[in-house]
């Protein structure tokens, strides 16, 4: 007998969520459907709300599932339910959009129905857009960098934070890297958080010059792990914790404990593995929101760099030129121009 794929309605957090084509296959390897993905997120409701709740979120939509084409969407479409919560967000050049807010799990299910597999939340609460409450470090494996090198870099970043008395929390990216988060007291804007991470990245590069780099230009990185400080620039989003990647194996960007670092594999955390872990009560980020951290030691380091005449690190190309930023041109191009 054929499986009916007529639309269904789910009652979630007091809202009626319509799910069209619930049995459409989103992940071909194990055959998970749109409805399976919604059930996955609903099973992780407390974890999702602890990490993404209240945040504006960019959607990356895959109407035909993980193997199909996708597009990013900051603006929510027209004709949304009257209960859907949104907030104004901006691009680097000031363009305004009306973005989805993860107000409850009904909002997550609504987005998944549109083909959103994973979520890209902002680093602040929608109610307080002026204050970042997350510092995010992206350990980016450039060509020639092994995952073992990413692991080693993550361990040294953790030690660095420990020296400063700052609690940090790692997760897989769901692909080839590792993200490290710090829950901040909501006291600093994105410019200051970014400045803190720039100073940290440079200090780490000085300590471990053969392993990691703060070089923005790819031609200067070599086979080293890039500490991507620009993920903390204003208006940047990062792939969210517990979110599912558009990969055939349905890999998840999964929080893990620091003592699991040596056993972590970039492909190991799939939807089924994560569901098993959560069912066993494993939530390595459970205490993240219980204690906020200060970046004052890193801001002091950034201030010392400025007093020493060190310029800002380069910003991404879509951002306006910053007052203390060096010429925004790759070194090889600058030499040709000169």
């Amino acid at each position: 007998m054929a499986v009916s794929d007529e639309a269904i309605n789910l009652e979630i957090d007091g809202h009626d969520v319509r799910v069209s084509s619930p049995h459409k296959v989103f992940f071909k390897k194990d055959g998970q459907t749109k409805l399976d993905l919604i059930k996955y997120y609903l099973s992780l409701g407390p974890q999702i709300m602890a990490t993404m709740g209240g945040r504006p979120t960019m959607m990356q939509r895959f109407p035909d599932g993980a193997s199909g084409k996708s597009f990013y969407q900051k603006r929510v479409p027209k004709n949304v339910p009257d209960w859907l919560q949104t907030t104004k967000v901006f691009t680097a050049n000031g363009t305004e959009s009306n973005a989805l807010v993860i107000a409850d799990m009904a909002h997550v299910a609504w987005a998944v129905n549109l083909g959103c597999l994973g979520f890209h939340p902002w680093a602040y609460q929608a109610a307080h857009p002026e204050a970042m409450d997350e510092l995010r470090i992206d350990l980016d494996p450039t060509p020639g960098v092994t995952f073992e090198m990413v692991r080693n870099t993550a361990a040294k970043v953790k030690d660095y934070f420990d020296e400063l008395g700052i609690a940090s929390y790692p997760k897989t990216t769901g692909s080839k890297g590792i993200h490290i988060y710090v829950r901040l007291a909501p006291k600093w804007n994105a410019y200051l958080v970014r400045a803190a991470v720039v100073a940290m990245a440079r200090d780490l590069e000085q300590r471990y010059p053969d392993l990691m780099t703060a070089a923005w230009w790819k031609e200067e990185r070599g086979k080293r792990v890039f500490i991507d400080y620009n993920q903390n620039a204003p208006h940047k989003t990062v792939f969210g914790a517990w979110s599912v990647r558009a990969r055939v194996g349905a890999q998840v960007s999964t929080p893990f404990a620091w003592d699991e670092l040596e056993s972590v594999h970039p492909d190991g955390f799939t939807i089924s593995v994560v569901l098993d872990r959560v069912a066993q009560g494993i939530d390595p980020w459970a205490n993240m929101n219980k204690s906020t951290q200060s970046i004052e030691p890193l801001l002091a380091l950034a201030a010392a760099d400025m007093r020493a005449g060190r310029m800002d690190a380069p910003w991404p190309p879509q951002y306006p030129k910053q007052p203390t930023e060096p010429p925004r041109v790759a070194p090889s191009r600058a030499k040709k121009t000169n």
Side-chain angles (χ1 to χ4, degrees):
M1 181 181 295
V3 176
S4 173
D5 211 27
E6 294 182 1
I8 62 174
N9 287 67
L10 301 176
E11 183 73 18
I12 304 171
D13 290 335
H15 303 300
D16 189 44
V17 181
R18 183 179 184 274
V19 180
S20 61
S21 303
H23 301 294
K24 176 186 285 187
V25 174
F26 270 9
F27 302 95
K28 292 183 177 179
K29 183 178 179 181
D30 294 322
Q32 292 103 329
T33 65
K34 178 192 288 189
L35 185 57
D36 290 330
L37 185 58
I38 290 175
K39 289 179 178 178
Y40 160 80
Y41 280 118
L42 293 178
S43 296
L44 271 67
Q47 289 78 18
I48 296 293
M49 294 309 297
T51 56
M52 292 195 289
R55 298 183 186 279
T57 303
M58 181 169 65
M59 298 180 289
Q60 185 180 8
R61 294 174 57 183
F62 294 80
D64 297 317
S67 301
K69 295 181 179 180
S70 71
F71 59 95
Y72 289 97
Q73 186 168 7
K74 286 185 178 180
R75 290 184 180 88
V76 297
K78 297 180 180 179
N79 302 318
V80 301
D82 57 9
W83 48 262
L84 199 79
Q85 292 190 29
T86 62
T87 190
K88 291 181 181 179
V89 297
F90 301 88
T91 62
N93 62 13
T95 302
E96 180 181 309
S97 300
N98 208 31
L100 173 70
V101 175
I102 303 299
D104 55 32
M105 293 306 297
H107 288 68
V108 173
W110 174 86
V112 174
N113 180 56
L114 296 183
C116 181
L117 307 186
F119 298 83
H120 299 252
W122 271 256
Y124 60 79
Q125 293 287 318
H128 302 286
E130 71 288 345
M132 306 299 105
D133 67 350
E134 282 186 349
L135 181 155
R136 300 162 168 181
I137 290 179
D138 183 6
L139 301 183
D140 190 5
T142 50
V145 171
T146 66
F147 191 70
E148 185 61 31
M149 293 169 66
V150 174
R151 275 203 200 100
N152 291 342
T153 299
K156 288 175 170 53
V157 171
K158 192 260 187 188
D159 291 343
Y160 190 93
F161 277 132
D162 286 350
E163 288 179 23
L164 300 177
I166 297 174
S168 58
Y169 297 82
K171 70 180 179 72
T172 64
T173 63
S175 185
K176 299 178 181 180
I178 290 176
H179 290 155
I180 301 173
Y181 279 44
V182 174
R183 174 67 70 238
L184 300 179
K187 295 171 57 176
W188 302 280
N189 64 27
Y191 291 93
L192 290 173
V193 175
R194 178 188 175 278
V197 181
V198 167
M200 176 182 181
R202 288 171 165 174
D203 197 17
L204 282 165
E205 181 183 54
Q206 286 187 321
R207 295 188 187 196
Y208 310 103
D210 296 328
L211 176 63
M212 59 186 83
T213 179
W216 173 250
W217 302 108
K218 291 182 179 180
E219 65 188 46
E220 295 185 310
R221 294 177 192 171
K223 294 182 180 180
R224 296 180 292 174
V225 180
F226 174 47
I227 302 174
D228 191 352
Y229 51 83
N230 272 330
Q231 295 293 5
N232 297 280
H235 319 301
K236 288 288 285 185
T237 63
V238 174
F239 196 68
W242 310 106
S243 286
V244 183
R245 284 282 185 186
R247 301 179 63 192
V248 293
Q251 276 78 16
V252 176
S253 182
T254 308
F256 62 89
W258 278 118
D259 61 10
E260 297 180 285
L261 179 61
E262 289 305 313
S263 62
V264 165
H265 188 278
D267 296 331
F269 291 119
T270 60
I271 283 179
S272 58
V273 170
V274 171
L275 286 173
D276 286 343
R277 281 167 63 87
V278 172
Q280 296 172 45
I282 300 174
D283 179 3
W285 284 18
N287 295 322
M288 179 191 279
N289 294 341
K290 294 180 180 179
S291 177
T292 56
Q293 310 298 303
S294 172
I295 57 171
E296 290 298 343
L298 294 174
L299 291 175
L301 185 61
D305 282 348
M306 293 294 289
R307 288 194 299 271
R310 198 168 195 181
M311 299 186 77
D312 192 1
W315 285 67
Q318 68 270 31
Y319 283 79
K321 188 75 165 58
Q322 301 299 309
T324 61
E325 184 184 0
R328 197 180 293 176
V329 58
S332 60
R333 290 187 60 192
K335 289 178 182 177
K336 291 177 181 178
T337 302
N338 291 337

